[in-house]
Every structure is written in C-alpha cells, then in structure tokens.
Amino acid sequence: MAAAAAAASSAAAAPPVPIASAVAPAPGAPRSSKKPKKPEKEDIGGIPTNSLVLAKWRDGSWRRATLLHKQHIRDGAGEPTGRFNYYVHYDDFNRRMDTWVNSDNVKEDPDAALREAEAERKEKEDVRVEKRQREDGGTEEIATFLEEQHGEAEGMDEAALREHEEVTKVKNVNFVEIGRHRMETWYFSPLPKELWQDEIIDTLYFHEHSLRFFKHKAEMLRHAAKWPLKHPPGDEVYRHQGMAVFELDGAKEKEYCQNLSYLAKFFLDHKTLQWDVDPFLFYVFTEYDEFGYHFVGYYSKEKYCDAGYNLACILALPCFQRRGFGRFIIQFSYELSRKERRVGSPEKPLSDLGQLSYRAYWTWVLFGVLRRFQGPELSIMDLVRITSIKPEDVMATLQYHGLIKYYNGTYVLCTDPALVEAKFQKYNNKKGPVVDPSKLHWAPYPITVKRDKWTIRAKLQARTEEEM
Ligand code: ACO
C-alpha cells in the first residue's frame, strides 16, 4: 500500500514523460492519411505491425484497419501459444475506438497494396508546390503541406503529430474505476513511471475524493478508509438540486489537480497534460447523496488568459455522458464569465465531442434569446452582452443555422420566428441539470491586468471604434 500510495502521490513530483505536446488527428479521420510505415523488421511473429488489415468491428463487420501493436497470447504457464492479440486502429473511426482484438478477428487485407498506393497518391496531393520570389530576383519552388483537416490537428506540425501518435499509440490502461463506476479508457495517459513501466494495466483504481490512483483495489480501499474527506478539496461554490461544484486553485491543491489531469487524459487525446497546474483554476462537478460527493466531471480555466478563453479542458466521465452534464458544465463556465462581465470562449482546438457539445449549447442559448426578443433591432454585440459568448462564436453559430444573410451590402440576421421556436425547443427539451445563477456563491479571481481586453465593455468599445 505504501508503495502504491507513494506512486500515486508521486504524481506531483514525477518528471514529465515526453509525450507530444498537443493534438491528435482530426475527428473521425484515419490516424494519418499519409503513407503507412513499412512493417518492422524485427518481429515476434504473426501479422507484422503497421500492416494494413481487416479487423472485425463490434457489429461483426470486417473493417479496414491498421495493426499498431501485438502481444503473444500465453498459456497458463506463461508460454506463448502461437496466437496473438492485436491492437488495431480502424480507418474510419476516431482513435478512441482503437482496441485489442485476437487473431481470429484480424486478417490480412487482400487490397493492402491498393490502399498503400491510394495513401501515397493522397500524400502527393497534399503537397502544394508554390513559387516564391528570391531576393536575387529569381524564383524557387517551395512545397506547402495542405492542412489535412481543420480540426483537432490544427496547430500541430506533421512531425509532432506523428510523434504524438507513436508515443501514445497503445492505451496503457484498459479500464478505470472511480466510485461506483468502471469505464473503458479511450486514450493513453502518461502515468508516472513508478506506477507504469510499459506493461498494460487492466484496471486503475481512483479514489473518488482524493483522485489518488492505485493498481490494486485493496490498496485503494485502504487509502479510502484513512482519507478524511467525502468531497473534493477546495471551496464549494455552487449547490443545488443534487449538484455541487468545487473551485480548486491549482497552486494550492496541486496533487489533486495533477491526479485529475492524469484521469482526464484517458478521455482527452489532444490536450497536453497539465504538469504545471499553478496557473489554473479547476471546477469539479459532483452529484451528492448521503454517502458523499461523487465525481461527475470538471473543467479547468486559466486564472488569466490573454486569448480570452474561459475554459481550457472539459470532461464529463463517459458514464455520465449524453445526460446533459456537458451542457451544465459549459453553462456554468459562461455563468462565471457573466459574473466577471467578460466574454469567453473554449480553448481551441476543440475535440469532436467538444465541438458538438459547444454548438448545442450556443444554439440553445442564442435561440433562447432570439425567441424572447421583441424590440426593433438586435445586433451581434447585443447577443454577446446578454450571453457572454464571444462574437466569433455567436457569428459562427448563427451562420451554421443559416441565419446570417448578405443584404444591400450588409450582413443581417434574418429568420422565421417559427423556425427559431422549433430549434430552441429541440435543444431545450433535453434531460439534465440546468445552472441556477442565484445559487452561485462565487467571486471572480482577482487579476492584476490593467487593461483587460476581454471585458464586455472593452469588446463593445472595440466594435464601436471599428465601425467609426
Ligand atoms: N455523439 C453525438 N452528439 C453528441 C455526443 C456524441 N457522442 N456527445 C455530445 N453530443 C452533442 C449532442 O448534441 C448532445 O445533446 P443530446 O444528447 O441532447 O443530443 C450535446 O452535444 C450535449 O450533450 P451533453 O450530454 O450535455 O454532453 P456530455 O455530458 O456528453 O459531455 C463532453 C460533453 C464534456 C464534451 C464529453 O463528451 C466529454 O467529456 N468528452 C471527452 C473529452 C472531450 O472531448 N472534451 C472536449 C475537449 S475540447 C476542450 O476541452 C476545450
């Protein structure tokens, strides 16, 4: 127990494992559309790694996949049986669907050569050759890689993307258990080396109030018996209808916040692990009952963000997803921005699920304002002022729903009230908790910045100056 506890708590002191710094491939995209790597030379047998294969999907269908890793299936005495478990990435699915399948469910793809040629052709297509004027007056050709997709991979160069894929290609933990829930993990999390050394851990046990993690359940239960709290550390800033929210300062609750980052990394592919938690505030969302406060999700936020982000990372544990908790967390982040009298936006790039959830939230809020609106004129900045949603996100959402039209040299908001009502009801008729701002006991974190360009006032002023 002592060793495991030390390992868990050493999370705070452990040196960072070198993982790629930012993002994964765009949502739903193949791992990489570039030419697949050649099979490795030294092999333990079976189908070579990096081969293009067909693998059975959950519904029994055979799908195109890439074989990323393999292990012997061993008998009771630990001897190899000559059969293998293969770790595959399905070409058509997000990395979170990567999984182990046994030899019966993987076969070589007769069309592998065709797929390879196709990947090669795509790779060439992705390179655009441009001519650039040299200083001596001549021209030279430069190759520019076209962006694969505008999404999660944004901001990450090809080399970094490959490195990220290579280092994190196989999940190191199959399941996590926290409180009453057991969940399959989605991605690799760079756990401290004392706890994990290249082997695959079947289940990692998190204590739900301290978030310390253990390889053995008995160790976690011994830790739980001694742990004094039945809730996360930090200040409770919201409590209403079974939901309680705690605010934690990363500088004060370092260990908890770092453990939280390890947990979140199992479900967030494209975010850097936050080793340095000091500049962040963490908001932990719990459901409470007579047994204590049960972890549902969290979001982190920089104490001061020059880019105007009001949320850095958001997570609702998979066992709570699609029940409205994501919307609750997002709504909460905007309620804080409203109290601060600032505009806010989530840190980019968004994951596929982040994008879907934010679009749903923005639509719900903006259409809610539009349906109530009675006056003669409503501008984008009015919507910003009412909702604290950044002007770019307001515009993008209205454009997505086809509400912005170009008319007589200017952009106007143009819609049918019945359509607004129908859209609003679609997003409003949703299960799940809703934030009641009157139950929020919170004061903004004091910042020392003199001219804060993200206040609503500054934004309105900037827009007026632009128009003059
Ligand atoms: N498929 C389709 N639509 C989805 C899905 C999905 N898997 N998940 C969410 N949505 C859309 C739907 O419109 C949904 O509304 P509906 O259920 O009424 O159809 C809406 O988003 C909101 O759903 P919620 O139930 O409120 O959100 P949820 O509790 O599932 O949490 C969250 C959303 C936090 C993004 C969760 O999926 C998650 O933690 N994912 C893993 C981590 C992640 O990707 N975080 C975002 C990274 S980007 C960033 O941090 C800035």
Side-chain angles (χ1 to χ4, degrees):
M1 142 84 199
S9 54
S10 68
V17 180
I19 61 160
S21 54
V23 294
R31 234 158 209 279
S32 169
S33 61
K34 304 282 179 264
K35 188 180 166 191
K37 281 174 253 151
K38 289 273 177 260
E40 282 163 8
K41 282 198 185 111
E42 283 192 24
D43 218 319
I44 57 169
I47 305 174
T49 32
N50 295 322
S51 295
L52 301 176
V53 292
L54 296 176
K56 237 185 214 173
W57 178 240
R58 293 168 189 168
D59 61 4
S61 61
W62 288 94
R63 291 183 169 265
R64 288 178 161 193
T66 306
L67 197 155
L68 301 177
H69 195 59
K70 62 187 165 182
Q71 277 184 344
H72 284 291
I73 298 178
R74 295 179 186 274
D75 61 18
E79 291 303 319
T81 56
R83 297 177 70 240
F84 293 88
N85 275 327
Y86 295 110
Y87 194 76
V88 298
H89 167 73
Y90 291 94
D91 286 12
D92 295 333
F93 301 139
N94 183 287
R95 265 161 58 102
R96 67 176 160 271
M97 306 302 186
D98 293 4
T99 188
W100 288 98
V101 282
N102 67 30
S103 346
D104 300 337
N105 295 324
V106 179
K107 58 185 182 190
E108 303 206 30
D109 182 0
D111 290 336
L114 274 177
R115 281 168 69 189
E116 206 161 321
E118 172 71 6
E120 210 161 311
R121 190 186 58 74
K122 254 199 120 236
E123 186 171 5
K124 285 200 187 118
E125 247 176 33
D126 285 355
V127 182
R128 184 176 53 205
V129 177
E130 282 179 357
K131 293 217 163 126
R132 181 167 62 187
Q133 193 83 20
R134 281 202 312 261
E135 275 179 17
D136 62 10
T139 54
E140 64 182 358
E141 283 189 348
I142 50 160
T144 346
F145 287 94
L146 295 181
E147 243 183 87
E148 272 182 36
Q149 287 196 35
H150 195 72
E152 281 183 284
E154 193 184 343
M156 193 178 198
D157 65 29
E158 181 70 12
L161 188 64
R162 287 215 176 170
E163 189 193 335
H164 173 87
E165 284 189 3
E166 190 54 35
V167 179
T168 64
K169 70 178 177 186
V170 181
K171 288 189 293 193
N172 46 350
V173 172
N174 291 332
F175 294 91
V176 293
E177 245 186 62
I178 175 166
R180 284 167 282 196
H181 303 282
R182 178 180 171 82
M183 286 152 278
E184 197 172 341
T185 59
W186 295 356
Y187 306 113
F188 173 96
S189 178
L191 300 173
K193 276 284 167 199
E194 302 85 73
L195 192 73
W196 167 75
Q197 273 162 354
D198 295 340
E199 86 283 24
I200 287 154
I201 299 174
D202 185 57
T203 307
L204 197 64
Y205 300 90
F206 281 82
H207 177 239
E208 69 172 335
H209 301 127
S210 68
L211 291 193
R212 285 196 187 168
F213 41 95
F214 303 84
K215 281 203 299 199
H216 302 284
K217 190 162 187 167
E219 292 170 340
M220 191 278 288
L221 291 174
R222 277 205 294 274
H223 164 74
K226 288 191 207 155
W227 192 255
L229 304 180
K230 292 273 179 264
H231 55 79
D235 300 324
E236 188 177 319
V237 292
Y238 180 90
R239 184 200 289 237
H240 187 50
Q241 294 183 338
M243 290 294 298
V245 185
F246 293 80
E247 182 187 64
L248 284 70
D249 184 334
K252 292 186 188 149
E253 306 294 348
K254 243 188 209 343
E255 187 199 332
Y256 184 96
C257 296
Q258 283 180 331
N259 290 346
L260 177 53
S261 302
Y262 283 115
L263 172 64
K265 193 66 194 65
F266 285 119
F267 307 104
L268 274 159
D269 191 23
H270 67 297
K271 292 281 179 187
T272 336
L273 192 69
Q274 283 157 0
W275 296 101
D276 182 11
V277 289
D278 290 25
F280 291 89
L281 294 169
F282 291 76
Y283 295 89
V284 176
F285 292 72
T286 62
E287 276 185 324
Y288 59 85
D289 58 22
E290 66 271 33
F291 301 108
Y293 294 74
H294 310 290
F295 185 94
V296 168
Y298 89 107
Y299 81 90
S300 56
K301 173 185 182 173
E302 274 183 89
K303 289 171 185 167
Y304 177 73
C305 175
D306 200 39
Y309 298 137
N310 65 352
L311 178 147
C313 279
I314 176 174
L315 169 78
L317 286 178
C319 53
F320 292 103
Q321 286 175 11
R322 298 306 296 272
R323 289 164 53 187
F325 289 108
R327 182 178 78 175
F328 184 85
I329 299 173
I330 295 172
Q331 190 194 358
F332 191 90
S333 70
Y334 279 104
E335 286 304 337
L336 298 198
S337 292
R338 275 156 58 93
K339 275 223 158 195
E340 292 172 314
R341 306 255 330 118
R342 305 171 91 225
V343 297
S345 184
E347 187 179 304
K348 311 296 179 312
L350 292 172
S351 69
D352 54 348
L353 297 177
Q355 178 71 52
L356 286 168
S357 310
Y358 264 96
R359 184 174 296 144
Y361 172 77
W362 290 329
T363 306
W364 176 57
V365 171
L366 293 172
F367 279 61
V369 176
L370 292 181
R371 72 191 271 276
R372 286 195 308 269
F373 177 68
Q374 302 285 338
E377 234 177 51
L378 185 72
S379 70
I380 298 293
M381 287 317 287
D382 289 331
L383 290 170
V384 171
R385 199 170 32 76
I386 299 166
T387 62
S388 275
I389 301 173
K390 203 173 159 188
E392 290 79 354
D393 298 332
V394 173
M395 283 291 283
T397 309
L398 297 178
Q399 255 159 5
Y400 175 81
H401 291 287
L403 260 59
I404 306 267
K405 301 265 178 328
Y406 192 67
Y407 181 72
N408 261 357
T410 178
Y411 289 98
V412 290
L413 223 167
C414 153
T415 185
D416 168 8
L419 188 138
V420 170
E421 186 61 27
K423 276 261 171 3
F424 171 76
Q425 290 306 340
K426 179 176 166 224
Y427 287 92
N428 197 41
N429 291 338
K430 184 179 159 65
K431 56 204 174 301
V434 174
V435 179
D436 178 347
S438 70
K439 305 289 182 225
L440 191 58
H441 302 286
W442 180 84
Y445 189 85
I447 51 168
T448 49
V449 180
K450 288 222 175 76
R451 269 180 63 94
D452 181 358
K453 59 183 182 217
W454 298 105
T455 59
I456 292 181
R457 205 164 133 220
K459 278 272 145 204
L460 286 169
Q461 205 172 337
R463 182 56 68 111
T464 321
E465 279 163 17
E466 252 171 46
E467 283 165 4
M468 274 164 46

